[in-house]
């Protein structure tokens, strides 16, 4: 269904990986559907092992809808039972119980993961909602975060205490989910990605063992957790670097341009970014091609937003080339850092953060923008507006540009994150009506077309897919790196820490490329 990674296809690689091991009955090929789990039975058998604040419930409970809500409904995991552990030690007990009973388990935070491999999950959800504490350490150089902390929460709390740390750019997204895959965001210019700032993690392994992971304890696993961590364990808490918060206000400037300015805009962007030399404090610029009928009903607009860590005067000097391009409208302002997300439309109330939508996506990693490719993408969007307005109405072609100095300063061999040479993250997202196969097929064709145009615009580079944006139909190399040594190291660590491939539902590193839906 929808080209999802099947259990049987996992097992082919799985048996090769651990040929000498005894495989639990749950992983053997079976023509039957996994049994229906009983909430009462799990409560009876497991409840006494857990803290009193732990909550166990199923689909009949009023809390189930919120707990299982997803950002993308394309490939939803099936959760028969939800468990919200009250203490970190509960997670190990839950995993051990699930192993004893041959039940699949999947840890979630804010529900934003969306690779196709998630659609093959059927079992128990471990919900991290009760792990939202943040404790700044006495030296003021780091803080401990609960595994359920999310970006907006962290940014607001730390700012009020005089600090910042590296988070993702959308307030609604959990911190550790993106961090396990790298974690790009507004502070990566000064400080690097989320993963670059992780000092240590408390991790529950596939067998239910709880371990502390840092430079002196399981240091090999620390390497893997920084870029491919979804494949290795459940992070119940983590310590990260924090930094003095810096300027009291940030400057933002948003523009709307018509399509006839496309070449001028992308030329200015290439000059501005200089293939990796973006000014450190010009932390973020996001650009969308989207339909705005207040401007035009026949073609998309270019909507672009810049965020600068400092004053308007400093920012506007750098933005002079963009101010010289005639815009339909623009707006600018100065706000404290926690309000930048709202100014750039990535806060919890923004459209990009809304759940329960069917989203068709594709991604690419670029060094520079290819003007010919961007014009082709624009004209393809324009064609869809004319031929299929329902499809076009839900489409956004996103271009993410960051200041990358802090990310580039890291030794690329020191973590599993493979794509530090990608200076721009591309994502096409098409929201479609549910249960409409015709529109779904057209959406996939369009998304793949845009992805291919991006990649064809840089013919001398390999195809890269940022794992947190990957839809799951990419190859392992495209998600985790093209160097043979890197992939071998990941697979060796997988065999060591998760030999039965329990953590295989988020862009697995063990397996073959899955055929896409089109």
């Amino acid at each position: 269904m929808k080209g999802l990674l099947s259990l049987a296809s996992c097992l082919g690689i799985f048996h090769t990986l651990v040929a000498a091991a005894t495989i639990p009955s749950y992983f053997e090929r079976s023509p039957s559907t996994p049994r229906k789990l009983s909430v009462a039975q799990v409560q009876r058998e497991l409840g006494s092992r857990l803290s009193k604040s732990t909550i166990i419930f199923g689909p009949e409970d009023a809390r189930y809808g919120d707990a299982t809500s997803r950002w993308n409904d394309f490939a939803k995991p099936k959760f028969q039972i939800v468990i919200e552990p009250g203490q970190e030690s509960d997670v190990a007990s839950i995993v051990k119980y699930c192993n004893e009973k041959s039940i699949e388990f999947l840890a979630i935070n804010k529900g934003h993961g969306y690779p196709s491999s998630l659609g093959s999950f059927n079992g128990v959800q471990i919900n991290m909602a009760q792990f939202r504490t943040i404790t700044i350490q006495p030296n003021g150089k780091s803080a401990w975060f609960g595994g359920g902390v999310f970006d907006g929460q962290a940014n607001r709390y730390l700012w009020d205490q005089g600090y910042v740390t590296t988070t993702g750019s959308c307030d609604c997204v959990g911190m550790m989910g993106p961090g396990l895959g790298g974690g790009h965001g507004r502070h990566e210019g000064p400080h690097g990605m989320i993963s670059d700032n992780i000092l240590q993690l408390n991790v529950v392994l596939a067998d239910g063992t709880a371990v502390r992971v840092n430079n002196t304890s399981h240091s090999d696993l620390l390497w893997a957790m920084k870029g491919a961590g979804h494949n290795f364990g459940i992070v119940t808490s983590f310590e990260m670097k924090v930094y003095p918060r810096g300027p009291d206000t940030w400057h933002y400037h948003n523009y709307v341009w018509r399509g006839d300015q496309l070449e001028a805009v992308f030329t200015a962007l290439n000059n501005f970014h200089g293939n990796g030399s973006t000014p450190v404090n010009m932390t973020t610029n996001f650009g969308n091609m989207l339909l705005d009928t207040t401007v035009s009903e026949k073609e998309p607009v270019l909507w672009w937003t810049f965020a600068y860590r400092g004053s308007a005067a400093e920012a506007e000097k750098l933005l002079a080339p963009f101010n010289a391009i005639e815009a339909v409208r623009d707006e600018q302002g100065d706000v404290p850092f926690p309000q930048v997300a709202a100014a750039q439309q990535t806060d919890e109330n923004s459209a990009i953060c809304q759940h329960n939508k069917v989203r068709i996506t594709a991604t690419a990693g670029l060094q520079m923008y290819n003007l010919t490719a961007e014009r082709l993408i624009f004209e393809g969007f324009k064609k869809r507006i004319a031929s299929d307005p329902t499809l076009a109405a839900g489409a956004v072609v996103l271009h993410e540009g960051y200041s990358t100095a802090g990310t580039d300063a890291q030794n690329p061999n020191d973590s599993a994150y493979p794509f530090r040479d990608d200076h721009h993250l591309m994502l096409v997202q098409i929201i479609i009506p549910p249960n409409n196969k015709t529109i779904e097929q057209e959406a996939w064709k369009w998304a793949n077309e845009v992805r291919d145009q991006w990649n064809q615009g840089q013919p001398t580079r390999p195809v890269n897919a940022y794992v947190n944006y990957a839809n799951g139909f990419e190859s392992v190399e495209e998600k985790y790196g093209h160097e043979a040594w890197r992939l071998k190291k990941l697979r060796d660590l997988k065999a060591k820490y998760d030999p039965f491939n329990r953590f295989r539902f988020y862009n697995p590193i063990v397996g073959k490329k899955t055929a896409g839906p089109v």
Side-chain angles (χ1 to χ4, degrees):
M1 178 180 178
K2 298 180 181 175
L4 299 179
L5 183 64
S6 69
L7 183 59
S9 67
C10 280
L11 286 169
I13 302 298
F14 189 56
H15 279 283
T16 302
L17 184 66
V18 288
T22 300
I23 296 180
S25 60
Y26 188 84
F27 294 109
E28 295 174 358
R29 288 184 175 88
S30 172
S32 62
T33 301
R35 64 188 180 277
K36 179 175 174 59
L37 301 177
S38 164
V39 176
Q41 181 179 351
V42 173
Q43 289 173 332
R44 183 175 63 254
E45 294 176 346
L46 178 60
S48 61
R49 305 187 197 180
L50 305 177
S51 64
K52 293 182 179 180
S53 54
T54 296
I55 306 167
I56 302 173
F57 55 89
E60 297 79 15
D61 192 285
R63 295 165 293 190
Y64 180 84
D66 286 342
T68 59
S69 173
R70 306 294 300 175
W71 181 76
N72 190 351
D73 284 349
F74 169 68
K76 294 181 68 173
K78 180 180 179 181
F79 296 118
Q80 295 195 41
I81 292 176
V82 175
I83 305 178
E84 293 185 2
Q87 297 180 5
E88 289 188 56
S89 59
D90 293 328
V91 176
S93 298
I94 296 166
V95 169
K96 290 176 182 177
Y97 172 82
C98 288
N99 286 335
E100 292 168 8
K101 301 297 181 178
S102 295
I103 299 170
E104 299 287 11
F105 53 86
L106 182 68
I108 71 103
N109 185 4
K110 298 290 282 184
H112 286 86
Y114 60 85
S116 58
S117 48
L118 283 170
S120 63
F121 178 82
N122 181 1
V124 166
Q125 177 196 104
I126 303 174
N127 191 300
M128 311 297 278
Q130 295 196 54
F131 298 161
R132 296 221 163 115
T133 58
I134 303 173
T135 305
I136 299 170
Q137 297 304 287
N139 64 9
K141 294 182 179 180
S142 69
W144 275 94
F145 299 83
V149 170
F150 58 96
D151 290 345
Q153 172 202 359
N155 289 332
R156 291 187 289 268
Y157 177 80
L158 291 176
W159 184 264
D160 288 344
Q161 305 302 312
Y163 296 95
V164 293
T165 192
T166 53
T167 68
S169 295
C170 287
D171 278 359
C172 52
V173 178
M175 276 182 70
M176 188 40 55
L180 294 175
H184 292 274
R186 291 186 178 91
H187 279 102
E188 74 173 85
H191 307 305
M193 295 184 296
I194 295 174
S195 59
D196 296 331
N197 288 274
I198 293 172
L199 297 173
Q200 52 186 341
L201 311 100
N202 287 324
V203 178
V204 175
L205 301 176
D207 64 358
T209 303
V211 297
R212 175 70 60 87
V213 178
N214 55 38
N215 284 327
T216 59
S217 172
H218 303 283
S219 58
D220 56 349
L221 182 56
L222 180 64
W223 180 90
M225 296 297 288
K226 295 182 176 184
H230 309 92
N231 286 269
F232 290 95
I234 300 171
V235 178
T236 58
S237 61
F238 55 100
E239 185 183 14
M240 281 182 61
K241 297 176 184 177
V242 297
Y243 302 91
R245 73 182 197 179
D248 289 339
T249 60
W250 286 40
H251 183 72
Y252 71 90
H253 197 150
N254 302 341
Y255 304 83
V256 177
W257 291 293
R258 295 183 186 272
D260 59 2
Q261 303 286 11
L262 183 147
E263 283 75 14
V265 170
F266 281 97
T267 296
L269 286 167
N270 280 338
N271 293 335
F272 181 73
H273 286 291
N275 193 17
S277 58
T278 311
V280 171
N281 285 330
M282 188 61 76
T283 63
T284 322
N285 69 88
F286 302 143
N288 295 330
M289 292 183 192
L290 51 80
L291 183 60
D292 181 347
T293 56
T294 67
V295 178
S296 174
E297 296 181 352
K298 296 182 178 180
E299 65 177 29
V301 300
L302 306 178
W303 182 88
W304 229 272
T305 175
F306 294 81
Y308 182 80
R309 180 175 174 266
S311 69
E314 295 169 350
E316 290 302 320
K317 288 180 182 178
L318 296 171
L319 292 173
F322 301 96
N323 293 331
I325 303 171
E326 183 181 0
V328 176
R329 59 178 178 266
D330 72 306
E331 62 170 341
Q332 58 179 290
D334 299 274
V335 295
F337 170 68
Q339 297 177 28
V340 171
Q344 295 196 292
Q345 299 185 17
T346 64
D347 64 310
E348 288 145 283
N349 297 318
S350 65
I352 194 67
C353 277
Q354 301 314 302
H355 274 217
N356 304 314
K357 307 289 184 183
V358 178
R359 290 174 160 93
I360 304 303
T361 67
T363 189
L366 306 182
Q367 283 192 329
M368 299 184 70
Y369 295 118
N370 182 294
L371 273 63
T372 301
E374 295 297 338
R375 173 54 69 182
L376 288 171
I377 292 167
F378 183 90
E379 294 300 325
F381 202 141
K382 186 176 178 180
K383 181 178 73 175
R384 265 76 177 197
I385 293 173
S387 64
D388 196 337
T390 300
L391 184 66
V396 176
V397 182
L398 174 63
H399 306 67
E400 290 188 15
Y402 295 97
S403 167
T404 59
T407 299
D408 295 342
Q410 308 295 318
N411 185 334
N413 297 339
D414 285 349
S415 76
Y417 181 75
F419 300 136
R420 293 183 187 273
D421 288 341
D422 288 351
H423 301 136
H424 305 310
L425 302 180
M426 304 294 102
L427 181 68
V428 55
Q429 172 195 268
I430 307 169
I431 297 176
I432 62 172
N435 304 314
N436 190 319
K437 291 295 182 183
T438 300
I439 289 183
E440 181 183 315
Q441 291 290 309
E442 290 303 312
W444 277 115
K445 290 178 182 177
W446 187 10
N448 291 339
E449 174 187 297
V450 173
R451 176 204 61 202
D452 292 346
Q453 287 166 333
W454 276 323
N455 286 318
Q456 289 162 7
Q458 50 177 18
T460 62
R461 300 192 72 231
V463 173
N464 298 337
Y466 177 45
V467 69
N468 291 328
Y469 287 0
N471 59 32
F473 298 121
E474 304 87 354
S475 69
V476 171
E477 291 80 5
E478 288 167 352
K479 291 178 287 192
Y480 291 107
H482 302 275
E483 304 117 310
W485 72 267
R486 186 182 294 276
L487 295 178
K488 182 181 185 302
K489 185 172 182 177
L490 282 173
R491 288 168 177 143
D492 288 347
L493 289 169
K494 183 70 171 176
K496 176 180 177 180
Y497 286 104
D498 184 17
F500 294 119
N501 206 16
R502 284 300 235 170
F503 298 109
R504 69 184 185 281
F505 297 104
Y506 190 97
N507 284 322
I509 59 176
V510 177
K512 295 181 179 179
K513 182 175 181 178
T514 307
V518 178

